[in-house]
Amino acid sequence: MSAPVRIGAQHIAKHLKNAKGHDQILRKVTVVHLKDGYCHAEMNVSEEHTNSLGTLHGGLSATLVDNVSSWALMSHAGGEYPSVSVEMNMTYLKGAKIGEDIKIEANTLKVGKTLAFLEVFIKNKSSGDLLVKGAHTKFLLR
Amino acid sequence: MSAPVRIGAQHIAKHLKNAKGHDQILRKVTVVHLKDGYCHAEMNVSEEHTNSLGTLHGGLSATLVDNVSSWALMSHAGGEYPSVSVEMNMTYLKGAKIGEDIKIEANTLKVGKTLAFLEVFIKNKSSGDLLVKGAHTKFLLR
Amino acid sequence: MSAPVRIGAQHIAKHLKNAKGHDQILRKVTVVHLKDGYCHAEMNVSEEHTNSLGTLHGGLSATLVDNVSSWALMSHAGGEYPSVSVEMNMTYLKGAKIGEDIKIEANTLKVGKTLAFLEVFIKNKSSGDLLVKGAHTKFLLR
Amino acid sequence: MSAPVRIGAQHIAKHLKNAKGHDQILRKVTVVHLKDGYCHAEMNVSEEHTNSLGTLHGGLSATLVDNVSSWALMSHAGGEYPSVSVEMNMTYLKGAKIGEDIKIEANTLKVGKTLAFLEVFIKNKSSGDLLVKGAHTKFLLR
């Protein structure tokens, strides 16, 4: 019997390419690094990601927080199980415009018996300015 | 000089039909009632709204919370100004599967000088079960 | 073997009177109604509850949200188990001054197998103005 | 006319010693370092800080998050103004028992024109285990 395989960046790339669910809106996301509970992804903001003010939509940011932290969790020892969201908290510090490159970083803070805790930072890639801070608590379906 | 026009359900329908930004993922949303800071919208969950477990995606729910509460705010006296998100908190109580009809209700709790506070409930339309509770704090760009 | 006894208002009054832990700061709280997952409590704001601006301290409000929702949960069928906090989110809409009577109301939104979800509203008792909105997610130690 | 004086650790020690409001419950807190938007404080958990399970009370943790982040903000260039809470989000990862030394660290993420964003980590001082993660958004009364 083999141990569960932890996911890597190439799994995500393949998944996004073929996604038919809501994840298809992340098709322009590139996973740069994914290992041991940490995920670093990047995306160039384009029109499809924006709200009616022409800036990064808060719901798209939330989808980034949800997915990138879930990928981080799946790359963590003990986090290979399917999981569902319990809480997700978003703080919006600064907007992002079309053409900006953003960097999304997720860390696994703790994986317990039934709950996992993650945090996410979305930054402007060139300036390093913090745009969005996210927190995500998941329930593990062991 | 005329007073600012508060938006109504028909404005949203037209907006969603022509949306080129992230709002296009809400094209299957129908606004049933929108007046005086309250918005009631509905949607049938289909594959494009789901996560890899086949249930309503937490990021799509977040987009619903963001938009439906923003529409509620724009229909409120004193809320006609453009606004940006400051915080958005999501609590996920129960999942929703493909084919389920969901009801999204947003209330304006307070519109202050610079901040507005809103709450959102996403429910299963037939059973009334609470699926997602959202809170949204916005900054008014007066 | 007897069924677990759900707590009532008189249990809380006795508990607060004898509290040696942090709950002692709630000794001026009166539980008006406690039944079936709902708790209504009241308090007159005095100097010991205030911050350096002379208004209700956000940490005292958080303690009210924590305790009043936990009491509500303990009065719910299926909520008699000890529980610990997972998340608590506070939104501060308006301040309260010394001498104001405040009303704290907690509702149990859902009691699942391992998680319970509660919401709390702190209002000015006479005007009904919403001062603080709290959300509390607890883990049941069955 | 002199510039506003940013507070330091000694101001907090004096304030806590004489506090008559809710801050008096923090009289056992020591501020180790307070400068440029960062605050590091410590406390030994004693009975007065606990809940009915004998562990650190979630409301006391919330008061720590509220105050330590507010001190951090007051030590930041541009954060010397009085401010009030808008949002405070708490995530509880692990409990703390009587006798444990805890470390509270607050960082200022951003000070904008009207809003300031802070984050707080409460850890077990010896093991470094994360106990509580807090987020605090404040409104500046300029």
Side-chain angles (χ1 to χ4, degrees):
Chain A
M1 193 186 127
S2 59
V5 179
R6 284 190 234 162
I7 64 155
Q10 73 284 9
H11 292 90
I12 303 301
K14 194 175 170 187
H15 165 70
L16 291 179
K17 196 178 169 188
N18 300 314
K20 290 181 178 169
H22 182 63
D23 286 357
Q24 66 184 280
I25 69 164
L26 301 183
R27 59 187 161 255
K28 293 189 177 170
V29 171
T30 305
V31 174
V32 177
H33 192 74
L34 176 60
K35 202 179 171 189
D36 297 335
Y38 168 79
C39 185
H40 163 193
E42 296 185 357
M43 192 186 84
N44 183 271
V45 178
S46 57
E47 188 183 16
E48 71 191 75
H49 307 127
T50 59
N51 55 34
S52 51
L53 297 175
T55 58
L56 185 62
H57 193 295
L60 193 282
S61 297
T63 300
L64 284 170
V65 165
D66 189 345
N67 278 259
V68 178
S69 61
S70 295
W71 299 335
L73 176 59
M74 284 188 282
S75 77
H76 186 279
E80 306 94 338
Y81 306 91
S83 60
V84 292
S85 295
V86 176
E87 303 268 348
M88 198 161 68
N89 295 336
M90 309 286 300
T91 304
Y92 299 94
L93 294 95
K94 195 175 176 179
K97 292 177 188 164
I98 293 177
E100 278 190 36
D101 283 312
I102 60 171
K103 181 180 177 178
I104 308 105
E105 287 187 293
N107 302 304
T108 304
L109 296 173
K110 184 187 173 183
V111 179
K113 284 180 194 168
T114 51
L115 295 173
F117 301 89
L118 303 114
E119 64 173 359
V120 182
F121 296 90
I122 303 181
K123 296 177 181 175
N124 177 296
K125 191 185 168 186
S126 56
S127 71
D129 284 354
L130 183 57
L131 309 178
V132 177
K133 191 163 83 82
H136 194 192
T137 301
K138 300 202 81 177
F139 190 91
L140 299 168
L141 303 169
R142 291 180 191 258
Chain B
M1 192 184 131
S2 60
V5 178
R6 284 190 235 162
I7 64 156
Q10 73 285 7
H11 293 90
I12 304 300
K14 193 175 171 187
H15 165 70
L16 291 179
K17 196 180 169 187
N18 300 314
K20 290 181 180 171
H22 181 64
D23 286 358
Q24 65 183 280
I25 69 164
L26 302 182
R27 59 187 162 255
K28 294 188 177 171
V29 171
T30 305
V31 173
V32 177
H33 193 74
L34 175 60
K35 201 178 172 189
D36 297 334
Y38 168 80
C39 184
H40 163 194
E42 295 184 357
M43 191 186 84
N44 182 270
V45 178
S46 57
E47 188 184 15
E48 70 191 75
H49 307 126
T50 58
N51 56 33
S52 51
L53 297 174
T55 58
L56 185 62
H57 193 297
L60 193 280
S61 298
T63 300
L64 285 169
V65 166
D66 188 347
N67 278 258
V68 178
S69 61
S70 295
W71 299 335
L73 176 59
M74 285 187 283
S75 76
H76 186 279
E80 306 94 340
Y81 306 91
S83 59
V84 293
S85 295
V86 176
E87 304 267 346
M88 198 162 67
N89 296 335
M90 309 285 300
T91 304
Y92 300 94
L93 295 95
K94 197 175 175 179
K97 293 178 188 162
I98 294 177
E100 278 188 35
D101 282 313
I102 60 171
K103 181 180 177 178
I104 308 105
E105 287 187 293
N107 302 305
T108 304
L109 297 173
K110 184 186 173 184
V111 179
K113 284 181 195 167
T114 51
L115 295 174
F117 301 90
L118 305 114
E119 64 174 0
V120 181
F121 296 89
I122 303 180
K123 296 176 180 175
N124 178 295
K125 191 184 168 186
S126 56
S127 71
D129 284 353
L130 182 57
L131 310 178
V132 177
K133 191 165 83 82
H136 194 190
T137 301
K138 301 201 80 177
F139 190 90
L140 300 168
L141 303 170
R142 288 177 192 260
Chain C
M1 192 186 127
S2 60
V5 179
R6 283 190 235 161
I7 65 156
Q10 73 284 10
H11 292 91
I12 303 301
K14 195 177 171 185
H15 165 70
L16 291 179
K17 196 180 170 187
N18 299 313
K20 290 181 178 169
H22 182 64
D23 286 357
Q24 66 184 281
I25 69 165
L26 301 182
R27 61 189 159 255
K28 293 189 177 171
V29 171
T30 304
V31 174
V32 177
H33 192 73
L34 176 60
K35 203 179 171 187
D36 297 336
Y38 168 78
C39 185
H40 162 193
E42 295 184 358
M43 192 186 82
N44 183 270
V45 178
S46 58
E47 188 184 14
E48 71 191 77
H49 306 126
T50 58
N51 55 33
S52 51
L53 297 175
T55 58
L56 185 63
H57 193 294
L60 193 280
S61 298
T63 300
L64 284 169
V65 166
D66 188 346
N67 278 258
V68 178
S69 61
S70 296
W71 299 336
L73 175 59
M74 285 187 282
S75 78
H76 186 279
E80 308 94 337
Y81 306 91
S83 60
V84 293
S85 296
V86 176
E87 304 268 347
M88 198 161 68
N89 296 336
M90 310 285 300
T91 304
Y92 299 94
L93 295 95
K94 195 176 176 181
K97 292 177 189 164
I98 293 177
E100 278 188 33
D101 283 313
I102 60 172
K103 181 180 178 177
I104 309 105
E105 287 188 292
N107 303 305
T108 304
L109 297 173
K110 184 187 174 185
V111 179
K113 284 180 194 167
T114 52
L115 295 174
F117 301 89
L118 304 113
E119 66 173 359
V120 182
F121 296 89
I122 303 181
K123 296 178 180 175
N124 179 295
K125 191 184 166 185
S126 57
S127 71
D129 283 354
L130 182 56
L131 310 177
V132 178
K133 191 164 84 82
H136 194 191
T137 302
K138 301 202 80 176
F139 189 91
L140 298 168
L141 304 169
R142 290 179 190 257
Chain D
M1 193 186 129
S2 59
V5 178
R6 284 190 234 162
I7 65 156
Q10 73 285 7
H11 292 91
I12 303 300
K14 194 176 172 186
H15 165 70
L16 291 179
K17 196 179 168 186
N18 300 314
K20 288 181 179 169
H22 182 63
D23 287 357
Q24 66 184 278
I25 69 164
L26 301 182
R27 59 186 161 257
K28 293 188 176 172
V29 171
T30 304
V31 173
V32 176
H33 193 75
L34 177 59
K35 202 179 172 186
D36 296 336
Y38 168 79
C39 185
H40 162 193
E42 295 184 357
M43 192 186 84
N44 182 271
V45 179
S46 57
E47 190 184 14
E48 71 191 75
H49 307 126
T50 59
N51 55 33
S52 51
L53 298 174
T55 58
L56 185 63
H57 194 296
L60 193 280
S61 297
T63 301
L64 284 170
V65 165
D66 188 346
N67 278 258
V68 178
S69 61
S70 295
W71 300 335
L73 176 59
M74 285 188 281
S75 78
H76 186 281
E80 307 95 338
Y81 305 91
S83 59
V84 294
S85 296
V86 176
E87 303 267 346
M88 197 162 67
N89 295 336
M90 309 285 300
T91 304
Y92 299 95
L93 295 96
K94 196 176 175 180
K97 292 177 187 163
I98 293 177
E100 277 189 36
D101 283 313
I102 60 172
K103 182 180 177 177
I104 309 104
E105 288 187 292
N107 302 305
T108 304
L109 296 173
K110 184 186 173 184
V111 179
K113 283 181 195 166
T114 51
L115 295 173
F117 301 90
L118 305 113
E119 65 174 358
V120 182
F121 296 90
I122 303 181
K123 295 178 180 175
N124 178 296
K125 190 185 168 186
S126 56
S127 71
D129 283 354
L130 182 57
L131 310 178
V132 178
K133 192 164 84 80
H136 194 189
T137 301
K138 301 202 80 177
F139 189 91
L140 300 168
L141 304 170
R142 290 179 193 257

